Amino acid sequence: MGRTDRGVSRRDFVKAAVAIGGTSALSACLDREGAPDLDTGPEDLSALPARQHAWNESLSRDEAGNVTAARHHVLLLLEYAGEGTPSEDDRETVEQALRGLERAYPRSNEGLLFTVGYTPAYFDRYDASLPESVDLPRPGALAPFEDPKPDEPDALVHLASDYGQVVLGAEEALLGERETLNDVEVSSFADVFEPTDRRTGFVGAGLPAANQDVDGIPDSEPVDEDAPLFMGFKSGFEKNQASEDRVTIREGPFAEGTTTHLSKIQLHLDQWYNQDSRYQRVGKMFSPAHADEEKVEGVGNNLGTDSGLDGDQDRTLEDARTKGMVGHTQKSARARDENDSPLILRRDFDSTDGGEAGLHFLSLQRTISDFVETREAMNGTDVADQSAVGTRNNNGILQYLTVDRRGNYLMPPRDHRSLPRPDP
Amino acid sequence: MDSRQWTRRDLLCASGAVGVGALAGCSGLLEEQSTNRNPSVVENRPDAIYRPSHVEGMEMIGMQEAGGRMVGLMYAYAHRFWTLTGSVTELVQPGGDVHLMASIWDPDSGTVLPADTGLRFELTKGDWSAERAPWTMLSQNMGFHYGDNMALDGEGTYTVTVETGAVGTERVGDFADSFGESATAQFEWEYSEAARSEIPFRTLDDAGDPGALDPMEMDMMPLSFAPSMDELPGQVLGSAEAGDVHFAATVVSGDDGDAIAVSPRTRYNGYVLPAMSLSATLDRDGSTAFDDILTQAVGPDLGYHYRASVDAVESGDELTITTDSGPQVSRHEGYETAFTDVPDVSITAD
């Protein structure tokens, strides 16, 4: 899509509307997307899964069989409006608001997917502690070269749908700006939660290309029309993702829950697109072997359901010493469990919040330690210490990212999703 | 110039006394102006250090002390350079308005410091801003530094923030307890195209010949020279040259026993060569006394070097140094074809 089409294109417009939010944006979305004839959700909610994060079953899949993320996202960071610990009435208010969303839309990418999580700061309101089965430290820096600010609201709501109007409508309903959604009566949690930050984004072919007129991306419009993310390559290959089972807490009162790590990352892609060659981009994103053997066609749809590492992760140090670079995928794949499973399930998406190219890196994992271990593998500090690869230069994609904020959340099972006590 | 004659006081006095721009064209080599700032790449470049198509000056934006180290910020014409991964070089065409450069050094010893843990530039001018993690670079007239071509928002006053990053490389000797934290220096920069156009520039008649430009003669800012053989501390084993790299080796004693220290530097100018992957063996009477990688380190006496602990080095031992990959730093013209395939070298201990 050419720049001259900007503002005319339907999906471009919808993305912008999601970023702006509010009633006018919603009605604009309705005009542009049309009003899809969506079913309502179930009247009887008892059949909904215990896991808030059980999304994969209801998301679509691509030709290769990879789960396809919903295209539009809103993250609401929320403060508890009251003092001290929430009351049973507060709990009921939140639960009714969430149930309203479930009745309004089917639980799918074409309807609405959402989750609610809580920070360590939230649980600090209580005298009791979280059980040992929950690993939820306060957020901090996870690399020697980053200095992120901690996100410490009380709660995080993640709304996702293929339709911008659905995430916007759900947001408005929660915040008390509308009383019906998809002709279903809904209620608000605005008396209990006040938003402190709102982050938006998108993922999927076409959306990054249509929204590349932001700081951090060269003016030459380098982002490929097929690219699901700004960096120009596919991610989220089935075999690089932990299963929902793998990220689910198994024991204790929060069994069937999970943890969320959310980081806000700025992208600086001038060098990536203006100075690095495709050879270097492929090598730094995947592995030097991917570059040497030209394994990646276009954005990488040809790779199927894995990233084609063929053991490249075991050659990370050797590549660092002889090839002068290591791949992001190659490094990160070193973080696996005894069953050779990745430790985290990525549900990240790109952003143009603040007019800057960004990435909201949202991932699910059984323990925050699993995330830390994965991030340490991605840092490749061990490799940099023993080779010509720099701490950031030629070290995967670290040179092109700045982590501005980090936050950790417990995502309880559905039964405890509304203002849980630490010992429910 | 002997970078090791610097004292902290000299540097601070000098940087305080000399205004912005006083250092422009200080090399003395640069006499004529030209409107053609990017002559063609030399044809038939040798796989070696060569005299580039042109020589150009640079303008000092300023110098500041931050976190116990000195930060120098400079600019030149936006010009081509080459990024490097393994032995693959990629030409980066000139883009943007200027080539912005920084160098970080220890004011006491004059040692230019690696800032591999994330040196960053942030430029702001009103609502406009740009951020960049510049490349580690090697140029013939400046040596090892950080730099990149950057697009600006026209003429005017910019605030340039340089975040040095911590020195993540192992720090030895008097550096052991220094430079472990990042520091920030902020510069005000009045940029105009007219001032930029005054930066000296001239083409060279002997472009493509083996050789290198002379180092700039900077009064304020040390360049990244490796210590001379005479200055090397410890029991100097000797030196050997291959692929335009001059390897000097010595054995130094530390808290953890003895270590082999290898100090590779460029032929002609003697600049340190950072970000190499080196390994070494030590053969003693037909058996192998040592066989491992060397890791990067920096200290006030050895400068940037590569080292490994050893039990002992005895007379007659043969040290063989293998270059698994050459310096993984971006190259200014005249260095981009060098150091990519460096043969092994051997040095026999006296």
Side-chain angles (χ1 to χ4, degrees), chain A residues 51-69:
Chain A
R51 299 175 183 176
Q52 293 194 68
H53 59 288
W55 287 11
N56 288 358
E57 191 70 8
S58 45
L59 286 166
S60 56
R61 292 187 179 248
D62 65 17
E63 286 176 14
N66 299 299
V67 170
T68 306

Side-chain angles (χ1 to χ4, degrees), chain A residues 6 15 52 73 125 153 223 234 319 323 331 367 391 402:
Chain A
R6 194 168 299 290
K15 197 290 307 169
Q52 293 194 68
H73 297 255
R125 293 176 175 277
V223 181
K234 185 178 173 62
D319 280 352
K323 301 289 187 180
K331 270 186 301 177
T367 64
T391 306
T402 305

Side-chain angles (χ1 to χ4, degrees), chain B residues 82 191 223 255 257 261 286 316:
Chain B
W82 286 260
Y191 169 74
L223 301 181
D255 296 341

